[in-house]
Structure formats: C-alpha cells, structure tokens
Amino acid sequence: MKDVGIVSYGAHIPRLRIKSSDIAHAWGKDPETITSGLGIIEKSVPSPDQDVATISVEAARAALARCNIDPQDIGAVYVGSESHPYAVKPTGTIVGEAIGATPILKVADYEFACKAGTAAIQTCMALVKSDMVKYGLAIGADTSQAAPGDALEYAASAGGAAFIIGKEKVIAFINETCSFTTDTPDFWRREGRKYPSHGGRFTGAPAYFRHIMSNAQNLMQLTNSKPEDYNYAVFHQPNGKFPVRVAKMLGFTSDQIKQGLLCPIIGNTYSGSSMLGLASVLDVAQPGNRIFVTSYGSGAGSDAFDITVTDLINKLPRNNAPLVSQLIEMKQYIDYSSYTKYRDLLYED
Amino acid sequence: MMRDVAIIGVGVTKFGELWDKSFRNLIAEAGSKALFDSGISGKELDALYVGSMSTGRFIGQEHIGALVADWSGFAHMHIPAIRVESACASGGLAVRQGYLSVASGMNDVIVVGGVEKMTDVVGDEANDTLATGLDQEWETFFGATFPGIYAMIATRHMYDFGTTREQLAKVAVKNHANGALNPFAQFKRAIPLEKILSSPMTAYPLGMLDCSPVSDGAAAIVLCAADKAKNYTDKPVKIIGSGQASDTLSLHGRRDICTFDSTVYAGKNAYKQAKLQPKDIDVAEVHDCFTIAEILAIEGN
C-alpha cells in the first residue's frame, strides 16, 4: 500500500442542461437514433459567467469545505483542462488565490485532452511522497467547445472535480498508478482554432480502447489484481457507450461502473470526466471499498489508479458540499437557440 | 489467336477497418499470398496489374503500378506494371486486362491485384471520394452520392415491379450470413431481417444495413497461360469466358435505370465465349455495394 492518497474531494457541474433530442432537432437528425447511438440523453452547459476558472474554484472550495486543512498547507495547485480561459495566464493561480493557498505555492496548468486532471493527481502524489509539499490540489475541469452540427456537439459539456492529495488524514489511499502513452492523433485542436478536429472512427479502437485496455491490464498486472477485486470502476466517458464496452471487455460488470457513469446525463466533461466519476463514487464509498479508475486523453494516453477507501471516509463531512448526484439534479433546461448564444456560436462581425 | 488462361494462385487479406495496415501492407500481403499459393517465386512474372479506385484521394498516392511493383520487390525486374481504374470495377477490369495480355500471348505469367485503403480519410471524405465515380458535372456537383443514386434505382424498382424493402433487406440477410462463414469478412455476424429493416435510414429506401461499409482490403491472383499452368499446379482454374462493356456514366442517361446494360452486355459476351447460359452457373459473385445493386446484377445476367 502506498502512503499517499486522497484527503478530500469536491465537484462542480454547471446547472444548465440541453437535451440531445433538442440538438438533434436543430440539425434535422432523428433524436432517437442519436440518443440511443451515443448513449447521451442530456449534457451540462456553462452559463456565460462560468468557465474553467470558476468551475475549478467551486470544486476546490467544495473539497476544502469537507476537510479542515489550512489552505496555506497546500503546496501545489495543478489545473488540467483543454479549455483554459487563457492560452497564456494560468488558471491555477486564480484557484490558488481564491482558496487562500498563495503565495508559497507551486502552480502550473496542465493539458492532455481529457486526462490532464489525472496527470495532475500523479504529480501531486509525487510531490507529497517526496515531502516537497504537505498537500497538493489536482483539478480536472472543462467547458469544451464543439463545432455546431458535429457529432461532438451532443457530448461536449462542462464540469470539474478537485482532489486534495496528502499523506495525513487520507480518506482513500492510491495504492498504485500507471500510465500508457503513445503519439496517436485521434483528436486535436490547433492553436488559434475555435473547434477541435477528430479522426472519426479512428478515435475508437486505435485510440480510446487501445490505451484504456492496455493501461488497465497493466495496472491489474502491477497490483496482481482482477476486476472482481474492485467494488467500483470508473472509465473515461466520451459517450455513454465506450465506457460500458471497455468495462465489459476488461471483465468489469455494469454494477461496478454504474455509480461512476455520468456521461448519459451530463455529457463528456473532458478533463472532468474520470475525476467526476471518481467523485461520484467517493460520495457513497464505504471503508475498505476498492476503486479502479482509468482515464483517457486523446493524443493519446491513459492514467490508471488502484484506490482503497479508508475508515476516515466516514469522518469526512461529505454533505458539507454538494454531492455529485445533487449537482446533477440541480438543473435548468435551455433550448438550442439559448445554447448557441451562451456557447458563443452566433458570430457578430 | 487467343489461348486459354488459368488462375494458378490466389491471396486475400482480411477486410475491415485495418488501422495497422497501410495500402502498401495490404497489397503486398495479398500479392505475396497469391505468389506463395501459386508456387512461383516472382522471377517468372512478366507483368503486374493492379486495380484501385481512388488512391489519389484516399491516400494521396498516384502512380501505383510502379509503387506496387516496387513494394513487392520487383523493381529490379523492370516488368510492366499497369494500374487499372474503373471505379468499383477496377479490380475486375484489372483481371480482364491481365487476362487479355496472357490470352494474346503477350505475357505468360502475371499477377493481378485489387486493393483499396479507405479508412485514412475522415468523415464525409470517403463518400465524397466514392462520388467521383458518378458523373461529376451532372450528378456529383449537384449533391448526388452513391447511396442517393442507388436509392433512386431502388425507388423506381419498387414502383415498376412492386419490390419491397423486405425483399431488398433479404439480400443483406443472406450476405451477412455468408460473412459469418468467412474468416476474412469485415462483418462476421448473421443479422436478422428486422434489424436490417430498422437500421437508420441512409437514403430512402436504403437503410444503413442495405449499404456496404467503408473498408480496407486487398486480393490478388496469379494468371498463367493454360498450357503452362501444369508446371505450377494440379488444379488450375481456367477463365473460360470474359466480357466487358460500358454504358452512360450518369444514371439519368441510361436506357432504363433499373437495368445495368453494361453488365448485361458484358455478361452476354462472357457467356458467349464460354458457350454457357445463366442456368449453367453454380456460384455467382456479384457487386453488392447496395442490396438493390445485387438485385439488378442478378436480373441482368
């Protein structure tokens, strides 16, 4: 058992929602085909005054509300996203200031498509383990854009989760972590472009499935474990189908992935995807539960974590901040025209 | 004076979305399998024919006659290498051209291959590329695609003959069932009629499962003058008849849009040369890019 783990966690999901069927109607597609094909019913939409900075701050404050550490003891903040508000000017410093962790603080923004946040967790683990910091704050959050009419429009949503990593007062130990990385250009956005491009069906077998399968199998080999050894499994969720399929391919059951499977009702929160799934599991986890998390980021790579919940989870006042299930229920529907206005799809010349 | 031609070896790759295999990998695999099957080592080859519809647009590569000969290891032999194109009939036409070159006495032993690498393009690019097989100025330019053109044929066929969607779908049921028996097939699962009928509409009345998928794959055969074939195999398969014909490119120019006159005439010539009739045929392999395409093909011959 490694001696580093999660001390607290927090989540934030913007309250606006749009249904896949409304997007389908806007583009003349059959809503039933889209919804059942992608496995997404509705997705979250950020309001005009929300972005990765605000979502990260909300999630970080939620994590702090649940534990009573001194923010000044947080020695590092890493925010992973593919929709940072600035190309140059870190989101992490905004978060650091907002939670009172500055100025003795290591900060950087991370980018690796949908797995930037889990990479941040790994960095915090190393800093804590080497005693370079007492606590590290790793955040994954996104308000990703999708080109109007593109298949991604049904999934690209907004949300994020924050994890405080430390050695003391650990509610869940991270027993082991491993990564699998190749140069596979399945999905990308060039500097200066508004929307990402993707390789269509190439994003499946050679990208998502290859990296998650390889990494998950490596983690199980490293930890000498099997799917049955885990109570929960969380996989990156670009749509409602891929995580279900990869879980089955690896030998996990639908019961194991249920708690962490959020994409069907909030869409793909990109850097927030696996992290929110983990937060949802921690909302209900009990001491001794073992959790298997495998993220995926296009470009491409996967980070996997073998986590064991400690007795201290029941001492954590989880209700001091909204549970993921509560954030999901706090919703307000908008139609496609409002969506285009809020997502800045209507150009003024 | 035309002499008999035999097939002395065959090779085929798996078909599918072959992310790990390039155009070159595919044709080299099929070609080397065919050579191995025939027992020739390669130095016997007098020429190489290769059919591929649209390498320029799919992989940005033209000049594939030379490329395939080179990539197969024959560059130092300096044999003639010919690329043949006739849209989806590129492979078949390559066989015919190869056959003529052996029948005429020009070549004794040749290899003929057909190959396509379609999955290196994304989104609608594959459909747009296929649509270059239609009449660009009168069909493609105005938005026609292959599914759209075949949908019009199907609609007229249903109007003229009362053909139903169920009857179209039964072609797909049969062909997917055949696929389940073939280890090289892209789809190896039998699909029930209801699933074919309820698949999302591509171009009415053709649903997604009335249409063939985008695919990568290659196949090759070794042709030899029949009187020399026994040097290589005890089981030569003779080409006893071959025909080729053309027709208007655009669908609206056809005499009857529910008849592929080109296949009727090509078939007539093949049957005549072979001195056979349709009822003598035991197995027919026809172009089933869409369910309606198979129906027109078998009606025409």
Side-chain angles (χ1 to χ4, degrees):
Chain A
M1 286 275 241
K2 283 217 162 62
D3 48 0
V4 176
I6 301 166
V7 170
S8 187
Y9 70 100
H12 183 72
I13 302 171
R15 96 173 49 155
L16 299 181
R17 301 278 182 279
I18 183 166
K19 297 193 168 121
S20 297
S21 51
D22 284 342
I23 303 175
H25 274 128
W27 294 102
K29 306 271 191 218
D30 175 39
E32 182 49 47
T33 305
I34 298 283
T35 308
S36 60
L38 290 173
I40 302 172
I41 299 164
E42 55 194 48
K43 67 170 190 173
S44 60
V45 182
S47 311
D49 61 349
Q50 291 187 298
D51 63 17
V52 164
T54 66
I55 293 172
S56 299
V57 168
E58 293 272 8
R61 284 179 173 165
L64 280 165
R66 286 174 166 144
C67 63
N68 51 14
I69 67 172
D70 180 353
Q72 286 288 301
D73 287 339
I74 294 176
V77 174
Y78 295 99
V79 180
S81 179
E82 56 181 275
S83 51
H84 286 288
Y86 293 88
V88 182
K89 192 245 147 331
T91 309
T93 54
I94 301 175
V95 174
E97 250 349 319
I99 62 171
T102 55
I104 309 303
L105 190 65
K106 296 173 178 45
V107 176
D109 281 1
Y110 272 18
E111 189 280 311
F112 194 142
C114 301
K115 80 158 197 78
T118 53
I121 293 178
Q122 290 176 324
T123 303
C124 287
M125 285 171 66
L127 289 171
V128 166
K129 203 162 160 50
S130 59
D131 292 322
M132 285 172 71
V133 303
K134 189 165 179 201
Y135 298 109
L137 175 61
I139 300 174
D142 255 303
T143 56
S144 256
Q145 289 268 30
D150 185 78
L152 292 173
E153 197 174 28
Y154 298 96
S157 65
F163 293 83
I164 300 178
I165 308 295
K167 273 184 186 174
E168 302 169 14
K169 313 185 203 189
V170 171
I171 61 163
F173 279 115
I174 301 175
N175 308 317
E176 185 61 82
T177 180
C178 65
S179 300
F180 185 91
T181 309
T182 70
D183 187 31
T184 300
D186 56 311
F187 172 101
W188 65 93
R189 182 169 63 85
R190 287 303 296 239
E191 181 65 52
R193 299 300 293 263
K194 198 163 148 85
Y195 304 117
S197 306
H198 58 90
R201 288 186 59 84
F202 185 73
T203 61
Y208 178 92
F209 289 95
R210 178 185 174 205
H211 293 78
I212 290 196
M213 290 291 294
S214 307
N215 202 28
Q217 283 163 346
N218 282 352
L219 183 65
M220 285 194 271
Q221 206 168 50
L222 262 176
T223 55
N224 206 19
S225 62
K226 307 177 298 299
E228 313 84 273
D229 299 334
Y230 296 89
N231 302 92
Y232 298 98
V234 177
F235 297 100
H236 173 55
Q237 311 161 34
N239 53 58
K241 294 293 178 81
F242 277 16
V244 173
R245 195 182 309 161
V246 84
K248 191 162 172 206
M249 285 161 70
L250 285 164
F252 290 93
T253 66
S254 47
D255 275 342
Q256 285 171 303
I257 61 170
K258 209 161 52 141
Q259 182 66 23
L261 186 63
L262 309 175
C263 186
I265 42 180
I266 58 166
N268 177 9
T269 51
Y270 284 60
S271 297
S273 180
S274 321
M275 317 254 294
L276 274 169
L278 174 57
S280 173
V281 167
L282 289 175
D283 282 343
V284 302
Q286 292 303 308
N289 281 169
R290 199 166 175 191
I291 311 169
F292 189 90
V293 181
T294 310
S295 68
Y296 171 73
S298 288
S302 167
D303 303 324
F305 303 86
D306 165 16
I307 296 170
T308 301
V309 180
T310 71
D311 294 336
L312 293 182
I313 190 136
N314 282 332
K315 296 221 163 40
L316 191 83
R318 290 183 261 196
N319 288 314
N320 278 5
L323 303 179
V324 170
S325 53
Q326 290 167 333
L327 291 166
I328 288 172
E329 284 315 304
M330 282 193 277
K331 61 182 173 178
Q332 184 187 325
Y333 289 106
I334 58 172
D335 60 13
Y336 193 76
S337 23
S338 303
Y339 172 83
T340 60
K341 205 169 51 173
Y342 293 161
R343 296 308 282 139
D344 198 21
L345 303 181
L346 301 171
Y347 292 91
E348 282 181 52
D349 211 352
Chain B
M1 193 66 228
M2 299 282 271
R3 58 182 180 168
D4 285 344
V5 179
I7 301 166
I8 61 170
V10 302
V12 66
T13 68
K14 280 198 156 90
F15 280 68
E17 285 176 319
L18 308 177
W19 305 113
D20 291 342
K21 291 193 180 167
S22 67
F23 173 89
R24 300 173 190 208
N25 291 152
L26 290 167
I27 190 62
E29 182 184 331
S32 52
K33 279 175 169 173
L35 258 58
F36 189 71
D37 188 44
S38 69
I40 70 171
S41 67
K43 53 181 170 12
E44 300 88 335
L45 289 176
D46 295 321
L48 179 152
Y49 285 79
V50 61
S52 194
M53 174 177 171
S54 196
T55 53
R57 285 180 65 131
F58 282 131
I59 60 167
Q61 176 74 62
E62 301 286 16
H63 213 169
I64 61 165
L67 171 67
V68 174
D70 182 3
W71 205 251
S72 306
F74 303 139
H76 67 287
M77 286 162 44
H78 305 295
I79 54 172
I82 302 99
R83 184 251 186 103
V84 176
E85 187 275 317
S86 56
C88 302
S90 297
L93 186 55
V95 172
R96 166 134 174 113
Q97 292 301 108
Y99 160 75
L100 290 175
S101 79
V102 177
S104 66
M106 186 73 197
N107 294 317
D108 285 337
V109 181
I110 64 169
V111 63
V112 181
V115 54
E116 211 80 47
K117 174 72 188 173
M118 298 176 76
T119 56
D120 277 353
V121 295
V122 184
D124 289 331
E125 188 59 41
N127 263 323
D128 289 349
T129 297
L130 290 171
T132 62
L134 300 171
D135 185 326
Q136 176 65 239
E137 295 187 10
W138 291 98
E139 294 177 313
T140 314
F141 184 76
F142 294 103
T145 61
F146 260 102
I149 290 291
Y150 274 92
M152 287 194 266
I153 296 173
T155 305
R156 186 70 203 188
H157 206 273
M158 290 162 86
Y159 176 81
D160 279 344
F161 306 113
T163 308
T164 63
R165 283 201 65 218
E166 283 73 18
Q167 287 170 318
L168 295 177
K170 280 179 177 172
V171 172
V173 172
K174 165 180 75 71
N175 292 353
H176 277 280
N178 287 340
L181 305 170
N182 188 336
F184 297 105
Q186 178 162 356
F187 297 133
K188 300 198 237 313
R189 257 191 322 179
I191 304 182
L193 185 66
E194 315 80 64
K195 267 217 120 102
I196 310 272
L197 286 170
S198 59
S199 62
M201 248 330 125
T202 296
Y204 186 85
L206 303 174
M208 194 181 78
L209 293 173
D210 282 290
C211 311
S212 53
V214 158
S215 192
D216 302 325
I221 61 176
V222 179
L223 297 182
C224 176
D227 57 9
K228 295 185 168 60
K230 61 183 176 313
N231 296 342
Y232 303 106
T233 176
D234 300 322
K235 296 187 289 187
V237 175
K238 284 212 300 200
I239 297 177
I240 58 174
S242 168
Q244 182 188 352
S246 60
D247 197 349
T248 68
L249 182 55
S250 66
L251 183 70
H252 58 260
R254 304 275 166 85
R255 178 190 62 81
D256 165 25
I257 72 167
C258 288
T259 305
F260 287 154
D261 279 344
S262 58
T263 51
V264 171
Y265 284 99
K268 275 199 169 87
N269 287 340
Y271 282 122
K272 182 162 160 213
Q273 181 182 355
K275 299 187 178 54
L276 291 177
Q277 291 163 41
K279 65 177 171 59
D280 301 318
I281 302 297
D282 298 306
V283 176
E285 166 102 40
V286 303
H287 188 47
D288 59 339
C289 48
F290 300 92
T291 48
I292 185 66
E294 171 162 327
I295 290 175
L296 258 68
I298 61 178
E299 286 180 343
N301 282 290

